[in-house]
Amino acid sequence: MTVPDEGEVVTYEKRGKIALVSLNRPDYRNAQNSVMTYALDAAFQRAVDDSDVAVIVLAGNGKHFSAGHDIGTPGRDHHVHYDNKAVMWWDHVDRPGGDQRYAREMEVYLGMCRRWRELPKPTIAMVQGACIAGGLMLAWVCDMIVASDDAFFSDPVVRMGIPGVEYFAHPWVLGPRAAKEILFTGDRFSAQRAYEWGMVNRVVPRDDLETETFAIAERVSAMPQFGLALTKRAVNQCEDQMGMRNGMDSVFGLHHLAHAHNAETGADSLGGMNAKSMKDTAK
């Protein structure tokens, strides 16, 4: 199956000490395929390697930040080989069943997100419109989130019989009760609700999103770079001491038990759901 050439699926722009990394599949609401995953990793690496860059802003071109993992566009490329960047694991392409799913998702979802969370420079997600499932993962790995007042969030994958996305940070970024609410219902929640739960740092008018985000990035960029790197590591280590990394490992196993159960009892590993049916059931 041929994957169409969509050009630059991630764009890179440098504005003084700030690198702007933008998801660039607006026609598909920036759904994340593997081409985008590896292009995003290369852009982050470029920003890290540039000693003049102090802060990285992650954005999504178009109306939406990201609708999540690509589960149905013409550019879906789960069958294509890419050299692993995040984990020391075998290639998934020629493996059967759960072996294929586990190896791929350990690399392109959980592994990549953990890799990006540990970037030694501060990262700020600039979120507008939809931030769904895998889109949450991209925002959550960032150190700060600035959301427009029209942004909305959800992790609806329990509708597939799967206990949340692969980078299972829900109890830490939302708190246990809010995490259960959004997972049990699959409902969307607003930027204001996300702010009340402590998931986002700022909610700003849509027209002011870029200005406000870059104003924060400029303030952060004035701090000593090594001090920022150490501070980021300090907070991440404390978060891991609160169980996030171990919790994620255990839930990743449950995630794949759910995939296997779906494949054994139904039509496919996604519980018969697709992008359209997931959208149609959203509230």
Side-chain angles (χ1 to χ4, degrees), residues 7 10 12 14 34 42 50 99 144 149 157 163 177 183 189 207 246 252 261 281:
V10 172
Y12 186 96
K14 187 175 170 183
S34 292
D50 187 340
D99 191 348
M144 300 175 66
D149 53 11
V157 301
R177 298 199 185 282
L183 288 166
F189 57 100
D207 291 344
N246 288 340
F252 191 68
H261 175 76
T281 55

Side-chain angles (χ1 to χ4, degrees), residues 39-110:
L40 190 55
D41 187 70
F44 285 147
Q45 186 70 58
R46 179 178 175 182
V48 168
D49 289 343
D50 187 340
S51 59
D52 292 331
V53 169
V55 179
I56 303 165
V57 171
L58 175 63
N61 289 334
K63 294 181 179 179
H64 301 285
F65 177 75
S66 177
H69 299 327
D70 186 342
I71 59 173
T73 82
R76 190 181 186 210
D77 54 356
H78 60 292
H79 59 293
V80 179
H81 165 77
Y82 298 88
D83 291 336
N84 283 9
K85 295 287 187 181
V87 296
M88 294 298 293
W89 209 262
W90 51 79
D91 182 47
H92 69 276
V93 175
D94 296 324
R95 302 274 174 163
D99 191 348
Q100 179 188 102
R101 285 189 298 273
Y102 190 84
R104 178 173 185 269
E105 294 191 1
M106 179 68 80
E107 161 71 5
V108 301
Y109 296 153
L110 180 59

Side-chain angles (χ1 to χ4, degrees), residues 194-256:
Y195 177 78
E196 292 166 0
W197 283 335
M199 195 192 93
V200 306
N201 297 84
R202 303 276 195 283
V203 179
V204 301
R206 176 68 183 87
D207 291 344
D208 299 335
L209 178 61
E210 186 169 317
T211 301
E212 294 288 343
T213 303
F214 273 80
I216 295 170
E218 289 284 357
R219 289 187 63 190
V220 175
S221 72
M223 300 293 276
Q225 280 198 31
F226 189 50
L228 288 170
L230 292 177
T231 303
K232 175 169 180 170
R233 189 164 181 81
V235 176
N236 283 359
Q237 285 178 338
C238 289
E239 201 171 28
D240 286 341
Q241 288 295 318
M242 290 187 279
M244 190 168 87
R245 187 175 184 88
N246 288 340
M248 237 177 243
D249 282 338
S250 63
V251 176
F252 191 68
L254 298 177
H255 182 99
H256 280 275

